[in-house]
Amino acid sequence: MATGLLVAAVLAAAALYGFIWERDVRGWRTWGFRLRHEIVATPEVRREGFLMSRDVYFVLRAGEDSRRAVQACATAFAHAQTLETPITQCRAFGSARDARIQLQHPDLNCELARSRQEPYMDAGRALVTINTGERCARRNSLNNAGTGFHTIKEQQ
């Protein structure tokens, strides 16, 4: 009897662990990143009930390297991408105000850097884009021409 209860408890804990590990954006594996950064928002895009993409808007610490920060965010929030998991983008901002402006006006580029992790891509190989141009500049084309965004392919 006790062995059966122990086995059931272990199986339930494993299922809960797996669910939290894979799906919960507020789960325990993001706590380390959350302790070091202010998370402004985590908007999600759903289509027909399926989670298609998730963005993590966060504020950089003073003097923090934006490239390393968005890579750490990708590691914390989306580590094991498969075809069924959403595209995850981490967006680093200089202030919470800039993040809120970006949320309200998607036609502006207020982020300092972003990482994009697509299905079947591990967090270490997330595509990193750095904004070296004017902050909160209006996008003038779909391909970021003239905005100061430069894409860097991370090789590890």
Side-chain angles (χ1 to χ4, degrees):
M1 177 69 175
T3 305
L5 286 175
L6 180 61
V7 169
V10 168
L11 290 175
L16 182 60
Y17 173 83
F19 178 78
I20 289 173
W21 183 261
E22 292 297 328
R23 294 177 180 85
D24 187 9
V25 72
R26 293 177 186 11
W28 62 270
R29 70 184 168 87
T30 67
W31 289 350
F33 188 82
R34 289 175 179 280
L35 286 173
R36 295 185 310 266
H37 296 91
E38 176 186 355
I39 305 295
V40 177
T42 54
E44 297 179 342
V45 174
R46 293 185 177 273
R47 287 195 189 110
E48 298 177 11
F50 294 101
L51 180 60
M52 303 302 288
S53 67
R54 171 185 297 133
D55 287 358
V56 178
Y57 287 64
F58 70 95
V59 179
L60 292 171
R61 297 179 311 226
E64 183 176 24
D65 178 42
S66 60
R67 180 186 302 172
R68 294 183 117 187
V70 294
Q71 198 72 50
C73 176
T75 301
F77 282 89
H79 72 290
Q81 293 286 335
T82 64
L83 186 60
E84 294 78 27
T85 54
I87 294 169
T88 301
Q89 289 193 115
C90 291
R91 298 171 181 254
F93 295 88
S95 69
R97 179 182 176 275
D98 286 352
R100 288 187 195 96
I101 289 171
Q102 179 79 45
L103 280 165
Q104 293 171 353
H105 303 283
D107 60 323
L108 298 179
N109 285 328
C110 297
E111 67 242 17
L112 299 174
R114 84 173 72 118
S115 65
R116 180 178 175 93
Q117 183 183 1
E118 298 194 20
Y120 294 116
M121 180 188 290
D122 66 6
R125 294 182 46 215
L127 189 65
V128 174
T129 305
I130 306 293
N131 183 359
T132 58
E134 184 180 350
R135 190 181 66 189
C136 290
R138 188 166 303 279
R139 293 180 191 171
N140 55 11
S141 73
L142 292 176
N143 65 1
N144 290 329
T147 63
F149 273 89
H150 299 283
T151 301
I152 301 166
K153 289 189 177 183
E154 289 294 317
Q155 300 296 324
Q156 289 188 358

